Amino acid sequence: MTEMAQRDGAVQIPGVDPLCSTQVVQPYPRSPKTLRKLDNASVKCTQEQLPCSLEELENESKRTEAHMASLKKRQANLTVCAEEIEQRVRERFENMRLTLEKDERAVLGMLEQDHRENSSKLTRHLQDCTQHLRLVRKHISNTKKLQESSAESQQLVFAEELRCNKKLDPAEESIRLNEEKFQKLMKVLGKISKELQAQLQRKSLLLDSAEVVIDRSTCHRQIKVTSQGRSMHISAEDCSGPNLAQQFDQVYCALGSVSITAGQHYWEADVRCCSAWAVGVAYGSLNRKGQDKSTKLGRNRLSWSLEFQDGQLSAWHNDRHVMLSSRAGHGVLDRVGIFVNYPKGRMTFYDAKTMKVLQEFSAASTAVFERAHHQFTEPLFPAFRFFKPRDGHSVPDHMEICDLSM
């Protein structure tokens, strides 16, 4: 009966007659594998097995101790490495501080020298004026003493007084600090300060710089790519080669060769020699055939772009856009920086010269894009587009991916 109960999955309560007790039946009978595990767990180690078990435990203890020693050694090496890098970073910043302090001393010394030279000139003129004033006062004193003298003597004194008049030196008006020079200096220092701030901000992005190369198999037939795969331009002639499934056949587009699936990535595109362009990112599933919205950057849910056309800068996604100002009063963009934080679903366009944020796409809602996405769901590819050349546009548009290698 007990064997039958065990086979049927019944559980026998110790000390209770199975005939007089209510059976507790498993919802499903135990599998043979589970029963074997229970049997193995209930087997007691025999006296002969204890030495083998002890040897296994001792070996495991040694392996654990060795692994701990390795971790401690790595931790020590990590500390040494961090200290070395910290020292090198401090040296670099100290060199920059010394350079700035040296230049500051030179500029202040130039100002001090200009001040000293002009002050010395004014001092000499003051000394001359002082001597002249003494002479005039002496004549005034003599004139007062001779007021009771004869008319002839008075005329002689008056003639002498007239001969001590001092003419103003025209050179006195030119004695001043070279304010025009120092105004230029202030403008130059202001420009250097802005550029330094921009480069310090750019520094953190360059740590995530990605090597972007054009995938020739995606290029429109009239886009020619250089041998290194970084530079491209529109050609009047079709490039040789068969039509490929991944190739754009109507829109002047090209994609990067390496996809982005994790981490942070930054690259820059030089667009100075391009009259109308778009740069950004796109999913690999972006349509390549035809010229409807599904193939154009920023005109669908599969791509994000920054676009310059007809003198206007704009950001696009899902066929919605916002007009932007590049750098008021400083002309059009020369370089565009593109930053992608894949895990956070964030991408940002920068003016790579000033590091001004032109547009950011993220999970945060905006008035135009209304929570355009929460996270990226497919591999992303750097994307580039030329717009069709205008009539009479003789110079071919040219775009280049910047080399950010340190």
Side-chain angles (χ1 to χ4, degrees):
M1 180 66 70
T2 302
E3 292 177 357
M4 291 177 61
Q6 290 178 351
R7 285 196 301 268
D8 293 339
V11 179
Q12 179 180 354
I13 301 175
V16 180
D17 188 353
L19 296 177
C20 300
S21 63
T22 303
Q23 289 186 347
V24 180
V25 181
Q26 295 277 347
Y28 300 99
R30 289 190 173 124
S31 65
K33 185 176 180 180
T34 304
L35 292 175
R36 284 197 299 273
K37 286 183 178 180
L38 293 174
D39 291 341
N40 293 335
S42 62
V43 174
K44 296 181 179 179
C45 292
T46 62
Q47 192 68 26
E48 293 78 8
Q49 292 175 324
L50 289 178
C52 294
S53 298
L54 180 60
E55 184 178 0
E56 290 179 1
L57 291 173
E58 289 177 345
N59 291 335
E60 180 64 23
S61 175
K62 292 178 181 179
R63 284 195 298 269
T64 303
E65 291 175 354
H67 184 59
M68 290 176 63
S70 174
L71 290 177
K72 290 179 180 179
K73 183 178 179 180
R74 288 178 57 189
Q75 187 177 39
N77 292 337
L78 187 68
T79 302
V80 172
C81 183
E83 291 176 350
E84 291 178 354
I85 294 175
E86 180 182 356
Q87 180 63 28
R88 291 166 60 186
V89 169
R90 290 182 182 277
E91 289 176 357
R92 293 295 174 89
F93 277 97
E94 182 64 23
N95 289 336
M96 287 192 288
R97 275 192 290 270
L98 291 175
T99 302
L100 288 174
E101 290 174 358
K102 181 180 178 181
D103 191 69
E104 180 185 11
R105 288 194 298 269
V107 171
L108 293 178
M110 181 175 61
L111 175 61
E112 177 62 26
Q113 181 180 358
D114 195 15
H115 170 257
R116 185 168 54 250
E117 290 176 355
N118 285 281
S119 180
S120 298
K121 292 178 182 179
L122 289 175
T123 299
R124 288 195 295 271
H125 282 278
L126 282 171
Q127 290 174 351
D128 292 342
C129 290
T130 301
Q131 292 177 359
H132 177 69
L133 180 60
R134 288 175 181 172
L135 182 60
V136 171
R137 287 176 176 174
K138 180 179 179 181
H139 280 282
I140 291 173
S141 177
N142 293 335
T143 301
K144 290 180 178 180
K145 291 179 180 179
L146 297 172
Q147 280 181 344
E148 297 177 357
S149 301
S150 64
E152 183 180 354
S153 299
Q154 290 183 14
Q155 289 177 357
L156 291 175
V157 173
F158 292 149
E160 183 70 20
E161 185 178 359
L162 289 173
R163 284 196 295 271
C164 74
N165 286 344
K166 179 178 176 58
K167 294 182 180 180
L168 295 177
D169 189 349
E172 291 182 10
E173 296 298 324
S174 63
I175 302 175
R176 58 169 58 90
L177 292 177
N178 193 341
E179 294 184 10
E180 182 180 357
K181 179 179 180 179
F182 286 104
Q183 287 295 333
K184 291 180 180 179
L185 173 65
M186 294 304 297
K187 291 181 179 179
V188 171
L189 291 177
K191 183 179 179 181
I192 292 175
S193 177
K194 289 181 180 179
E195 291 177 353
L196 178 59
Q197 292 176 12
Q199 289 303 316
L200 290 176
Q201 182 181 358
R202 186 168 176 260
K203 160 186 63 65
S204 58
L205 294 174
L206 289 177
L207 299 178
D208 296 313
S209 61
E211 184 177 357
V212 176
V213 178
I214 301 300
D215 184 355
R216 291 178 174 80
S217 66
T218 66
C219 295
H220 184 275
R221 292 175 62 85
Q222 287 182 242
I223 295 179
K224 285 192 174 181
V225 183
T226 59
S227 58
Q228 294 182 345
R230 290 184 175 276
S231 181
M232 53 187 167
H233 68 273
I234 295 179
S235 172
E237 300 177 356
D238 289 352
C239 300
S240 60
N243 289 323
L244 303 174
Q246 64 269 33
Q247 185 178 41
F248 290 92
D249 65 348
Q250 298 290 328
V251 182
Y252 293 107
C253 273
L255 299 181
S257 59
V258 179
S259 64
I260 299 172
T261 58
Q264 299 182 154
H265 304 265
Y266 178 77
W267 65 96
E268 293 178 357
D270 189 330
V271 293
R272 286 177 295 178
C273 300
C274 194
S275 59
W277 48 265
V279 296
V281 294
Y283 288 144
S285 58
L286 182 70
N287 188 19
R288 320 287 174 87
K289 306 303 179 184
Q291 53 182 351
D292 59 9
K293 292 180 179 180
S294 66
T295 63
K296 299 176 181 179
L297 298 183
R299 303 308 195 273
N300 46 68
R301 288 185 173 273
L302 305 179
S303 58
W304 296 256
S305 70
L306 184 75
E307 179 178 303
F308 181 78
Q309 190 173 195
D310 298 327
Q312 300 293 324
L313 189 69
S314 55
W316 289 79
H317 174 63
N318 196 24
D319 203 26
R320 296 183 178 185
H321 74 281
V322 58
M323 302 305 296
L324 307 172
S325 61
S326 55
R327 287 178 284 132
H330 296 276
V332 297
L333 287 173
D334 294 336
R335 275 190 177 195
V336 179
I338 303 99
F339 174 73
V340 173
N341 186 326
Y342 193 91
K344 293 186 177 180
R346 171 190 166 198
M347 76 158 302
T348 309
F349 292 108
Y350 292 91
D351 178 344
K353 186 173 182 179
T354 64
M355 296 315 297
K356 172 186 175 183
V357 175
L358 300 173
Q359 179 63 38
E360 181 180 42
F361 293 96
S362 66
S365 63
T366 63
V368 176
F369 300 106
E370 296 179 355
R371 293 184 69 87
H373 65 284
H374 294 277
Q375 61 182 11
F376 297 119
T377 57
E378 300 179 33
L380 285 172
F381 291 85
F384 310 88
R385 179 186 178 186
F386 295 97
F387 290 97
K388 291 185 178 180
R390 303 296 184 186
D391 294 339
H393 186 68
S394 58
V395 180
D397 283 335
H398 174 269
M399 198 183 305
E400 184 173 351
I401 302 169
C402 302
D403 183 6
L404 301 181
S405 59
M406 306 303 288

